[in-house]
Amino acid sequence: MDFDLLVHEAWPAYDQQPLDGWILRHAGGVTKRANSVLALSAPADLDGAIAAAEAFYAERGERCVFSIGPGTPVGLDGELASRGYELVDPTVIMAATPGDLEPAHEVRVEDRPWPGWLKTWWSVDGRYELGVEAAVRICAGVPAWYAAFEEDGVALAVGRGVPQGDTLGIYCMATLPQARRRGLARSVLRALVRRSGARTAYLCTTARNEAAQALYRSEGFELRGHYHYRLR
């Protein structure tokens, strides 16, 4: 799997500009994933490319961010570090050949996010006081499924599945704090996998979120790579 491209395609920035083997991405500053440079190959003029990237984000009132993943050209991470770019948000990539396991709970799955789904996801995963509109615009950029376990009209656990050929990208997994340790996230994950019928699935989670990683390992997911960001 080309995880760099899979993540890029599943979480698409609505403002993109190509730059000699790089893609400059901007989506209202909401999430680094959609507001960072994706370096797919080495540019002919590295100094010029970095300067152009910095100008791109400065024009939009944002700090310059680079995504450093499995396919990043050798040497770019070190070059950015030498220029004072800070390493932030180390993330693990996990993948599996999932089985057709039955969710233990009834899970609602729709083709679009509904207000209750959005409220729960953003209350857990929202990194900004504002910005949910930009996040919804990112989600709407590709076809996807939105799953939730609901109780008394409240979405307690949610997730998003993006079909990508014969694989499924799993995003936006979030459970309200008071509903954790009930197996709800596991049911949401299984519901998305069953809906897709995909042969493989992958997901990303922060390196520090050991509880989530343990859940995913118990569902057959294994560590397949890492990525982080360089920010200045």
Side-chain angles (χ1 to χ4, degrees), residues 86-180:
E86 177 188 1
L87 190 158
V88 296
D89 295 347
T91 300
V92 300
I93 303 165
M94 304 180 76
T97 302
D100 186 22
L101 300 175
E102 181 77 27
H105 307 84
E106 183 176 351
V107 176
R108 175 182 175 183
V109 182
E110 303 284 353
D111 293 335
R112 297 179 181 178
W114 60 96
W117 188 99
L118 288 168
K119 182 178 180 180
T120 295
W121 170 51
W122 200 248
S123 71
V124 175
D125 199 38
R127 298 169 178 82
Y128 313 88
E129 183 177 350
L130 302 175
V132 66
E133 294 84 2
V136 171
R137 188 176 175 185
I138 293 168
C139 288
V142 292
W145 295 298
Y146 298 84
F149 170 79
E150 297 177 310
E151 192 171 76
D152 297 327
V154 177
L156 299 183
V158 301
R160 172 178 180 256
V162 182
Q164 296 176 273
D166 61 0
T167 195
L168 177 72
I170 297 170
Y171 293 83
C172 304
M173 293 289 291
T175 303
L176 293 178
Q178 68 270 24
R180 291 172 185 166

Coordinates of all heavy atoms in Angstrom, one line a residue, residues 86-180:
E86 N 10.1 22.0 13.6 CA 9.8 21.2 14.8 C 9.1 19.9 14.4 O 8.2 19.9 13.6 CB 9.0 22.0 15.8 CG 8.5 21.2 17.0 CD 7.5 22.0 17.8 OE1 7.1 23.1 17.4 OE2 7.1 21.5 18.9
L87 N 9.5 18.8 15.0 CA 8.8 17.5 14.8 C 7.6 17.5 15.7 O 7.7 17.6 16.9 CB 9.8 16.4 15.1 CG 9.3 14.9 14.7 CD1 10.5 14.0 14.5 CD2 8.3 14.3 15.7
V88 N 6.4 17.2 15.1 CA 5.2 17.2 15.9 C 4.3 16.0 15.4 O 4.4 15.5 14.3 CB 4.4 18.5 15.8 CG1 5.2 19.7 16.4 CG2 4.0 18.8 14.3
D89 N 3.4 15.6 16.3 CA 2.3 14.6 16.0 C 2.9 13.3 15.4 O 2.4 12.9 14.3 CB 1.3 15.3 15.1 CG 0.5 16.4 15.7 OD1 0.7 16.6 17.0 OD2 -0.2 17.1 15.0
P90 N 3.8 12.6 16.1 CA 4.1 11.3 15.6 C 2.9 10.4 15.5 O 2.1 10.3 16.5 CB 5.2 10.8 16.5 CG 5.0 11.7 17.8 CD 4.5 13.0 17.3
T91 N 2.8 9.7 14.4 CA 1.6 8.9 14.1 C 2.0 7.5 13.6 O 3.0 7.4 13.0 CB 0.7 9.6 13.1 OG1 0.4 10.9 13.6 CG2 -0.5 8.8 12.7
V92 N 1.2 6.5 14.0 CA 1.4 5.1 13.5 C 0.4 4.8 12.5 O -0.8 5.2 12.5 CB 1.5 4.1 14.6 CG1 2.5 4.4 15.6 CG2 0.1 4.0 15.3
I93 N 0.8 4.0 11.5 CA -0.1 3.5 10.5 C -0.3 2.0 10.7 O 0.7 1.2 10.9 CB 0.5 3.7 9.1 CG1 0.8 5.2 8.8 CG2 -0.4 3.2 8.0 CD1 1.7 5.4 7.6
M94 N -1.5 1.5 10.8 CA -1.8 0.1 11.0 C -2.7 -0.4 9.9 O -3.5 0.3 9.3 CB -2.5 -0.1 12.3 CG -1.7 0.5 13.5 SD -2.5 0.3 15.1 CE -2.2 -1.4 15.4
A95 N -2.5 -1.7 9.5 CA -3.3 -2.3 8.4 C -3.6 -3.7 8.8 O -2.9 -4.4 9.6 CB -2.5 -2.2 7.1
A96 N -4.6 -4.2 8.1 CA -5.1 -5.6 8.4 C -5.8 -6.2 7.2 O -6.2 -5.5 6.3 CB -6.1 -5.6 9.6
T97 N -5.9 -7.5 7.3 CA -6.8 -8.2 6.4 C -8.0 -8.6 7.3 O -7.9 -9.7 7.9 CB -6.1 -9.5 5.7 OG1 -5.0 -9.0 5.0 CG2 -7.1 -10.2 4.8
P98 N -9.0 -7.8 7.4 CA -10.0 -8.0 8.4 C -10.9 -9.1 8.1 O -11.2 -9.4 6.9 CB -10.8 -6.7 8.4 CG -10.6 -6.1 7.0 CD -9.2 -6.6 6.6
G99 N -11.4 -9.8 9.1 CA -12.4 -10.8 8.9 C -13.8 -10.2 8.9 O -14.0 -9.0 9.2
D100 N -14.8 -11.0 8.6 CA -16.2 -10.6 8.5 C -16.8 -10.8 9.9 O -17.6 -11.7 10.1 CB -16.9 -11.3 7.4 CG -18.3 -10.8 7.2 OD1 -18.6 -9.7 7.6 OD2 -19.2 -11.6 6.7
L101 N -16.4 -10.0 10.9 CA -16.9 -10.2 12.2 C -18.1 -9.4 12.5 O -18.3 -8.2 12.1 CB -15.8 -9.8 13.2 CG -14.4 -10.5 13.1 CD1 -13.4 -10.0 14.0 CD2 -14.7 -12.0 13.4
E102 N -19.0 -10.0 13.3 CA -20.3 -9.3 13.6 C -20.1 -8.3 14.7 O -19.5 -8.6 15.7 CB -21.3 -10.4 14.1 CG -22.7 -9.9 14.4 CD -23.5 -9.6 13.2 OE1 -23.3 -10.3 12.1 OE2 -24.4 -8.7 13.3
P103 N -20.6 -7.1 14.5 CA -20.6 -6.1 15.6 C -21.5 -6.6 16.7 O -22.5 -7.2 16.5 CB -21.2 -4.8 14.9 CG -21.1 -5.0 13.5 CD -21.2 -6.5 13.2
A104 N -21.0 -6.3 17.9 CA -21.8 -6.7 19.1 C -22.9 -5.7 19.4 O -23.8 -6.0 20.3 CB -20.9 -6.8 20.3
H105 N -23.0 -4.6 18.7 CA -24.0 -3.6 18.9 C -24.6 -3.2 17.6 O -24.0 -3.4 16.5 CB -23.5 -2.4 19.6 CG -22.7 -2.6 20.9 ND1 -21.4 -3.0 20.9 CD2 -23.1 -2.6 22.2 CE1 -21.0 -3.2 22.1 NE2 -22.0 -2.9 22.9
E106 N -25.8 -2.7 17.6 CA -26.5 -2.2 16.4 C -25.8 -0.9 16.0 O -25.8 0.0 16.8 CB -28.0 -2.1 16.5 CG -28.7 -1.6 15.3 CD -30.2 -1.6 15.4 OE1 -30.7 -2.1 16.5 OE2 -30.8 -1.0 14.5
V107 N -25.3 -0.8 14.8 CA -24.6 0.4 14.3 C -25.3 1.0 13.1 O -25.6 0.3 12.2 CB -23.1 0.0 14.0 CG1 -22.4 1.3 13.4 CG2 -22.4 -0.5 15.2
R108 N -25.5 2.2 13.2 CA -26.1 3.0 12.1 C -25.0 3.4 11.1 O -24.0 3.9 11.5 CB -26.9 4.2 12.6 CG -27.4 5.2 11.5 CD -28.1 6.4 12.2 NE -28.5 7.4 11.2 CZ -29.0 8.5 11.5 NH1 -29.2 8.9 12.8 NH2 -29.4 9.4 10.5
V109 N -25.3 3.1 9.8 CA -24.3 3.5 8.8 C -25.0 4.3 7.7 O -26.0 3.8 7.1 CB -23.6 2.3 8.2 CG1 -22.5 2.7 7.1 CG2 -22.9 1.4 9.3
E110 N -24.5 5.4 7.4 CA -25.1 6.3 6.3 C -24.0 6.7 5.3 O -22.8 6.6 5.6 CB -25.7 7.5 7.0 CG -26.8 7.3 8.0 CD -28.1 6.8 7.4 OE1 -28.2 6.9 6.2 OE2 -29.0 6.4 8.2
D111 N -24.5 7.3 4.2 CA -23.5 7.7 3.2 C -23.0 9.1 3.4 O -22.1 9.6 2.8 CB -24.2 7.7 1.8 CG -24.5 6.3 1.3 OD1 -23.8 5.4 1.8 OD2 -25.4 6.1 0.5
R112 N -23.7 9.8 4.4 CA -23.3 11.2 4.7 C -23.3 11.4 6.2 O -24.1 10.7 6.9 CB -24.2 12.2 4.1 CG -24.2 12.2 2.5 CD -25.2 13.2 1.9 NE -25.2 13.1 0.5 CZ -26.0 13.9 -0.3 NH1 -26.8 14.7 0.3 NH2 -25.9 13.8 -1.6
P113 N -22.5 12.3 6.7 CA -22.6 12.5 8.2 C -23.9 13.3 8.5 O -24.3 14.2 7.8 CB -21.3 13.4 8.5 CG -21.1 14.1 7.2 CD -21.5 13.1 6.1
W114 N -24.5 12.9 9.7 CA -25.7 13.6 10.1 C -25.3 14.5 11.4 O -24.2 14.3 11.9 CB -26.8 12.6 10.4 CG -26.5 11.6 11.5 CD1 -26.9 11.6 12.8 CD2 -25.8 10.3 11.3 NE1 -26.5 10.5 13.4 CE2 -25.8 9.7 12.5 CE3 -25.2 9.7 10.2 CZ2 -25.2 8.4 12.7 CZ3 -24.6 8.5 10.3 CH2 -24.6 7.8 11.6
P115 N -26.1 15.4 11.8 CA -25.8 16.3 12.9 C -25.2 15.6 14.1 O -24.3 16.0 14.7 CB -27.1 17.1 13.1 CG -27.7 17.1 11.8 CD -27.5 15.7 11.2
G116 N -25.9 14.5 14.5 CA -25.4 13.8 15.7 C -24.0 13.2 15.6 O -23.2 13.2 16.5
W117 N -23.8 12.6 14.4 CA -22.5 12.1 14.1 C -21.4 13.2 14.2 O -20.4 13.0 14.8 CB -22.4 11.5 12.7 CG -21.2 10.7 12.3 CD1 -21.0 9.4 12.4 CD2 -20.0 11.2 11.9 NE1 -19.8 9.0 12.0 CE2 -19.1 10.2 11.7 CE3 -19.5 12.5 11.6 CZ2 -17.8 10.3 11.2 CZ3 -18.2 12.7 11.2 CH2 -17.4 11.6 10.9
L118 N -21.7 14.3 13.5 CA -20.7 15.4 13.5 C -20.5 16.0 14.9 O -19.3 16.3 15.3 CB -21.2 16.6 12.6 CG -21.2 16.3 11.1 CD1 -22.0 17.3 10.4 CD2 -19.8 16.3 10.6
K119 N -21.5 16.1 15.7 CA -21.4 16.6 17.1 C -20.5 15.8 17.9 O -19.6 16.3 18.6 CB -22.8 16.8 17.7 CG -22.7 17.4 19.1 CD -24.1 17.5 19.7 CE -24.0 18.1 21.1 NZ -25.4 18.3 21.7
T120 N -20.7 14.4 17.8 CA -19.8 13.5 18.6 C -18.4 13.5 18.1 O -17.4 13.7 18.9 CB -20.4 12.1 18.6 OG1 -21.7 12.1 19.2 CG2 -19.5 11.1 19.3
W121 N -18.2 13.4 16.8 CA -16.8 13.4 16.3 C -16.1 14.7 16.7 O -15.0 14.6 17.2 CB -16.9 13.2 14.8 CG -15.5 13.4 14.1 CD1 -14.4 12.8 14.5 CD2 -15.2 14.3 13.1 NE1 -13.3 13.3 13.7 CE2 -13.9 14.2 12.8 CE3 -16.0 15.2 12.3 CZ2 -13.2 14.9 11.8 CZ3 -15.4 15.9 11.3 CH2 -14.0 15.8 11.1
W122 N -16.7 15.8 16.4 CA -16.0 17.1 16.7 C -15.7 17.3 18.1 O -14.7 17.9 18.5 CB -16.7 18.2 16.0 CG -15.8 19.4 15.8 CD1 -15.9 20.7 16.4 CD2 -14.7 19.5 14.9 NE1 -14.9 21.5 16.0 CE2 -14.2 20.8 15.0 CE3 -14.2 18.6 14.0 CZ2 -13.1 21.3 14.2 CZ3 -13.1 19.1 13.2 CH2 -12.6 20.4 13.4
S123 N -16.7 16.9 19.0 CA -16.5 17.1 20.4 C -15.3 16.3 21.0 O -14.6 16.7 21.9 CB -17.7 16.7 21.2 OG -17.9 15.3 21.2
V124 N -15.0 15.2 20.3 CA -13.9 14.3 20.8 C -12.6 14.7 20.0 O -11.5 14.8 20.6 CB -14.2 12.8 20.6 CG1 -13.0 11.9 20.9 CG2 -15.4 12.4 21.4
D125 N -12.7 14.8 18.7 CA -11.5 14.9 17.8 C -11.3 16.3 17.3 O -10.2 16.5 16.7 CB -11.7 13.9 16.6 CG -10.4 13.6 15.9 OD1 -9.4 13.5 16.6 OD2 -10.4 13.6 14.7
G126 N -12.2 17.2 17.5 CA -12.0 18.6 17.0 C -10.8 19.2 17.7 O -10.8 19.3 19.0
R127 N -9.9 19.7 17.0 CA -8.7 20.3 17.5 C -8.8 21.8 17.6 O -7.9 22.5 18.1 CB -7.5 19.9 16.7 CG -7.2 18.4 16.7 CD -6.2 18.1 15.6 NE -5.9 16.7 15.6 CZ -6.6 15.7 15.0 NH1 -7.7 16.1 14.3 NH2 -6.3 14.5 15.0
Y128 N -9.9 22.4 17.2 CA -10.1 23.8 17.1 C -11.5 24.2 17.7 O -12.4 23.4 17.5 CB -9.9 24.3 15.7 CG -8.7 23.7 15.0 CD1 -8.8 22.5 14.3 CD2 -7.5 24.4 15.0 CE1 -7.7 22.0 13.7 CE2 -6.4 23.9 14.4 CZ -6.5 22.7 13.7 OH -5.4 22.1 13.1
E129 N -11.6 25.4 18.2 CA -12.9 25.8 18.7 C -13.8 26.0 17.5 O -15.0 25.7 17.6 CB -12.7 27.1 19.4 CG -14.0 27.7 20.0 CD -13.9 28.9 20.8 OE1 -12.7 29.3 21.1 OE2 -14.9 29.5 21.2
L130 N -13.3 26.4 16.4 CA -14.1 26.6 15.1 C -13.5 25.6 14.1 O -12.5 24.9 14.4 CB -14.0 28.0 14.6 CG -14.5 29.1 15.6 CD1 -14.2 30.5 15.0 CD2 -15.9 28.9 15.9
G131 N -14.1 25.6 13.0 CA -13.5 24.8 11.9 C -14.2 23.6 11.5 O -13.8 22.9 10.5
V132 N -15.4 23.3 12.1 CA -16.1 22.1 11.7 C -16.6 22.1 10.3 O -16.7 21.1 9.6 CB -17.2 21.8 12.7 CG1 -18.3 22.8 12.6 CG2 -17.8 20.4 12.5
E133 N -16.9 23.4 9.8 CA -17.4 23.5 8.4 C -16.3 23.1 7.5 O -16.6 22.4 6.5 CB -17.8 24.9 8.2 CG -19.0 25.4 9.0 CD -18.7 25.9 10.3 OE1 -17.5 25.9 10.7 OE2 -19.6 26.3 11.1
A134 N -15.1 23.5 7.7 CA -14.0 23.1 6.8 C -13.7 21.6 6.9 O -13.5 20.9 5.9 CB -12.7 23.8 7.2
A135 N -13.9 21.0 8.1 CA -13.7 19.6 8.3 C -14.8 18.8 7.5 O -14.5 17.8 6.9 CB -13.7 19.2 9.8
V136 N -16.0 19.3 7.5 CA -17.1 18.6 6.8 C -16.8 18.7 5.3 O -17.0 17.7 4.6 CB -18.4 19.2 7.2 CG1 -19.5 18.7 6.2 CG2 -18.8 19.0 8.6
R137 N -16.3 19.8 4.9 CA -16.0 20.0 3.4 C -14.9 19.0 3.0 O -14.9 18.4 1.9 CB -15.5 21.4 3.2 CG -15.3 21.8 1.7 CD -15.0 23.2 1.5 NE -14.7 23.5 0.1 CZ -14.3 24.7 -0.3 NH1 -14.1 25.7 0.6 NH2 -14.0 24.9 -1.6
I138 N -13.9 18.8 3.9 CA -12.9 17.8 3.6 C -13.5 16.4 3.5 O -13.2 15.7 2.5 CB -11.8 17.8 4.7 CG1 -11.0 19.1 4.7 CG2 -10.8 16.6 4.5 CD1 -10.2 19.3 5.9
C139 N -14.3 16.0 4.5 CA -15.0 14.7 4.4 C -15.8 14.5 3.2 O -15.8 13.4 2.6 CB -15.9 14.6 5.7 SG -15.0 14.3 7.2
A140 N -16.5 15.6 2.7 CA -17.3 15.5 1.6 C -16.6 15.4 0.3 O -17.2 15.2 -0.8 CB -18.3 16.6 1.5
G141 N -15.3 15.5 0.3 CA -14.5 15.5 -0.9 C -14.4 14.1 -1.6 O -14.0 14.1 -2.8
V142 N -14.7 13.1 -0.9 CA -14.7 11.7 -1.5 C -15.9 10.9 -0.9 O -16.4 11.2 0.2 CB -13.4 11.0 -1.1 CG1 -12.2 11.6 -1.8 CG2 -13.2 10.9 0.4
P143 N -16.4 9.9 -1.6 CA -17.4 9.0 -1.1 C -16.9 8.3 0.2 O -15.8 7.9 0.3 CB -17.7 8.1 -2.2 CG -17.2 8.7 -3.5 CD -16.0 9.5 -3.0
A144 N -17.8 8.2 1.1 CA -17.4 7.5 2.4 C -18.7 7.1 3.1 O -19.8 7.5 2.8 CB -16.7 8.5 3.3
W145 N -18.5 6.2 4.1 CA -19.6 5.8 5.0 C -19.3 6.4 6.4 O -18.2 6.5 6.8 CB -19.6 4.3 5.1 CG -20.0 3.6 3.8 CD1 -21.1 3.7 3.1 CD2 -19.2 2.7 3.0 NE1 -21.1 3.0 1.9 CE2 -19.9 2.3 1.9 CE3 -17.9 2.2 3.2 CZ2 -19.4 1.5 0.9 CZ3 -17.4 1.3 2.2 CH2 -18.1 1.0 1.1
Y146 N -20.4 6.7 7.0 CA -20.4 7.2 8.4 C -21.2 6.3 9.3 O -22.3 6.1 9.1 CB -20.9 8.7 8.4 CG -20.1 9.6 7.5 CD1 -20.4 9.6 6.1 CD2 -19.1 10.3 8.0 CE1 -19.6 10.4 5.3 CE2 -18.3 11.1 7.1 CZ -18.5 11.1 5.8 OH -17.7 11.9 5.0
A147 N -20.5 5.9 10.4 CA -21.1 4.9 11.3 C -21.2 5.4 12.7 O -20.3 6.2 13.1 CB -20.3 3.6 11.2
A148 N -22.2 5.0 13.4 CA -22.3 5.4 14.8 C -23.2 4.4 15.6 O -24.1 3.8 15.0 CB -23.0 6.8 14.9
F149 N -22.8 4.2 16.8 CA -23.7 3.5 17.8 C -24.4 4.6 18.5 O -23.8 5.5 19.1 CB -22.9 2.7 18.8 CG -23.8 2.2 19.9 CD1 -24.6 1.1 19.7 CD2 -23.8 2.9 21.1 CE1 -25.5 0.7 20.7 CE2 -24.6 2.4 22.1 CZ -25.5 1.3 21.9
E150 N -25.8 4.6 18.5 CA -26.6 5.6 19.1 C -27.4 5.0 20.3 O -27.8 3.9 20.2 CB -27.5 6.2 18.1 CG -26.8 6.9 16.9 CD -27.8 7.4 15.9 OE1 -28.6 6.6 15.4 OE2 -27.7 8.6 15.5
E151 N -27.5 5.9 21.3 CA -28.3 5.5 22.5 C -29.1 6.7 22.9 O -28.5 7.7 23.2 CB -27.4 5.0 23.6 CG -28.0 4.3 24.7 CD -27.0 3.6 25.6 OE1 -26.4 4.4 26.4 OE2 -26.8 2.4 25.6
D152 N -30.4 6.5 23.0 CA -31.3 7.7 23.4 C -31.1 8.9 22.5 O -31.1 10.0 22.9 CB -31.0 8.0 24.8 CG -31.4 6.9 25.8 OD1 -32.3 6.1 25.5 OD2 -30.7 6.8 26.9
G153 N -30.8 8.6 21.2 CA -30.7 9.7 20.2 C -29.3 10.3 20.2 O -29.1 11.3 19.4
V154 N -28.4 9.8 21.0 CA -27.0 10.4 21.0 C -26.0 9.4 20.4 O -26.0 8.2 20.7 CB -26.6 10.7 22.5 CG1 -25.2 11.2 22.5 CG2 -27.6 11.7 23.1
A155 N -25.2 9.9 19.5 CA -24.1 9.1 18.9 C -23.0 8.9 19.9 O -22.3 9.9 20.2 CB -23.6 9.7 17.6
L156 N -22.8 7.8 20.5 CA -21.8 7.6 21.5 C -20.4 7.2 21.0 O -19.4 7.6 21.6 CB -22.2 6.5 22.5 CG -23.5 6.7 23.3 CD1 -23.8 5.6 24.3 CD2 -23.5 8.1 24.0
A157 N -20.4 6.6 19.8 CA -19.2 6.2 19.2 C -19.4 6.3 17.7 O -20.4 5.9 17.1 CB -18.8 4.8 19.5
V158 N -18.4 6.9 17.0 CA -18.5 7.1 15.5 C -17.3 6.7 14.8 O -16.2 6.5 15.4 CB -18.8 8.6 15.2 CG1 -20.1 9.1 15.9 CG2 -17.7 9.5 15.7
G159 N -17.4 6.6 13.5 CA -16.2 6.3 12.6 C -16.6 6.6 11.2 O -17.8 6.7 10.8
R160 N -15.6 6.7 10.3 CA -15.8 7.0 8.9 C -14.9 6.0 8.1 O -13.8 5.8 8.4 CB -15.3 8.5 8.6 CG -15.2 8.8 7.1 CD -14.8 10.3 7.0 NE -14.7 10.8 5.6 CZ -13.5 10.9 5.0 NH1 -12.4 10.7 5.6 NH2 -13.5 11.4 3.7
G161 N -15.5 5.4 7.1 CA -14.9 4.5 6.2 C -14.8 5.0 4.8 O -15.8 5.4 4.3
V162 N -13.6 5.0 4.2 CA -13.4 5.5 2.9 C -13.0 4.3 2.0 O -12.0 3.8 2.1 CB -12.3 6.6 2.8 CG1 -12.2 7.1 1.4 CG2 -12.7 7.7 3.8
P163 N -13.9 3.9 1.0 CA -13.6 2.9 0.1 C -12.5 3.4 -0.9 O -12.7 4.4 -1.6 CB -14.9 2.5 -0.6 CG -15.7 3.8 -0.5 CD -15.3 4.4 0.8
Q164 N -11.4 2.6 -1.0 CA -10.3 3.0 -1.9 C -9.8 1.8 -2.7 O -8.9 1.1 -2.3 CB -9.2 3.6 -1.1 CG -9.6 4.9 -0.4 CD -8.5 5.5 0.4 OE1 -8.3 5.2 1.6 NE2 -7.7 6.4 -0.2
G165 N -10.6 1.4 -3.7 CA -10.2 0.2 -4.5 C -10.5 -1.0 -3.6 O -11.6 -1.2 -3.1
D166 N -9.5 -1.9 -3.4 CA -9.7 -3.1 -2.6 C -9.4 -2.9 -1.2 O -9.2 -3.8 -0.4 CB -9.0 -4.3 -3.2 CG -7.5 -4.0 -3.3 OD1 -7.0 -2.9 -2.8 OD2 -6.7 -4.9 -3.7
T167 N -9.2 -1.6 -0.7 CA -8.9 -1.4 0.7 C -9.8 -0.4 1.2 O -10.5 0.3 0.5 CB -7.4 -0.9 0.8 OG1 -7.1 -1.0 2.2 CG2 -7.3 0.6 0.4
L168 N -9.9 -0.3 2.5 CA -10.8 0.6 3.3 C -10.0 1.5 4.2 O -9.2 1.0 5.0 CB -11.8 -0.2 4.1 CG -12.8 0.7 4.9 CD1 -13.8 1.4 4.0 CD2 -13.5 -0.2 6.0
G169 N -10.1 2.8 4.0 CA -9.4 3.7 5.0 C -10.4 4.0 6.1 O -11.6 4.4 5.9
I170 N -9.9 3.9 7.3 CA -10.8 4.1 8.5 C -10.3 5.4 9.2 O -9.2 5.5 9.6 CB -10.7 2.9 9.5 CG1 -11.3 1.7 8.8 CG2 -11.5 3.2 10.7 CD1 -11.1 0.4 9.5
Y171 N -11.2 6.3 9.4 CA -10.9 7.6 9.9 C -12.0 8.0 10.9 O -13.0 7.4 11.0 CB -10.9 8.7 8.8 CG -9.8 8.5 7.8 CD1 -9.9 7.6 6.7 CD2 -8.6 9.2 7.9 CE1 -8.8 7.4 5.9 CE2 -7.5 9.0 7.0 CZ -7.7 8.1 6.0 OH -6.6 7.9 5.1
C172 N -11.7 9.1 11.6 CA -12.7 9.8 12.5 C -13.2 8.8 13.6 O -14.4 9.0 14.1 CB -13.8 10.3 11.7 SG -13.4 11.5 10.4
M173 N -12.5 7.9 14.1 CA -12.9 7.0 15.2 C -12.9 7.8 16.4 O -11.9 8.4 16.9 CB -12.0 5.8 15.3 CG -12.1 4.8 14.1 SD -13.6 3.9 14.0 CE -13.5 2.9 15.5
A174 N -14.1 7.9 17.1 CA -14.2 8.7 18.3 C -15.3 8.2 19.2 O -16.4 7.8 18.6 CB -14.4 10.2 17.9
T175 N -15.1 8.1 20.5 CA -16.1 7.7 21.4 C -16.2 8.7 22.6 O -15.1 9.2 23.1 CB -15.7 6.3 22.0 OG1 -15.5 5.4 21.0 CG2 -16.8 5.8 23.0
L176 N -17.4 9.1 22.9 CA -17.6 10.0 24.0 C -16.9 9.4 25.3 O -17.0 8.2 25.5 CB -19.0 10.3 24.3 CG -19.7 11.0 23.1 CD1 -21.2 11.2 23.5 CD2 -19.1 12.4 22.9
P177 N -16.3 10.2 26.1 CA -15.6 9.7 27.3 C -16.5 8.8 28.2 O -16.0 7.8 28.7 CB -15.1 11.0 28.0 CG -15.0 12.0 26.9 CD -16.1 11.7 26.0
Q178 N -17.7 9.2 28.4 CA -18.6 8.5 29.3 C -19.0 7.1 28.8 O -19.6 6.3 29.5 CB -19.8 9.3 29.7 CG -20.8 9.5 28.6 CD -20.4 10.8 27.8 OE1 -19.3 11.3 27.8 NE2 -21.5 11.4 27.1
A179 N -18.7 6.9 27.5 CA -19.2 5.6 26.8 C -18.0 4.7 26.5 O -18.3 3.7 25.8 CB -20.0 6.0 25.5
R180 N -16.9 5.0 27.0 CA -15.7 4.1 26.7 C -15.7 2.8 27.5 O -16.4 2.7 28.5 CB -14.4 4.9 26.9 CG -14.3 6.1 25.8 CD -13.2 7.0 26.1 NE -13.2 8.1 25.0 CZ -12.5 9.2 25.1 NH1 -11.7 9.4 26.1 NH2 -12.6 10.1 24.2

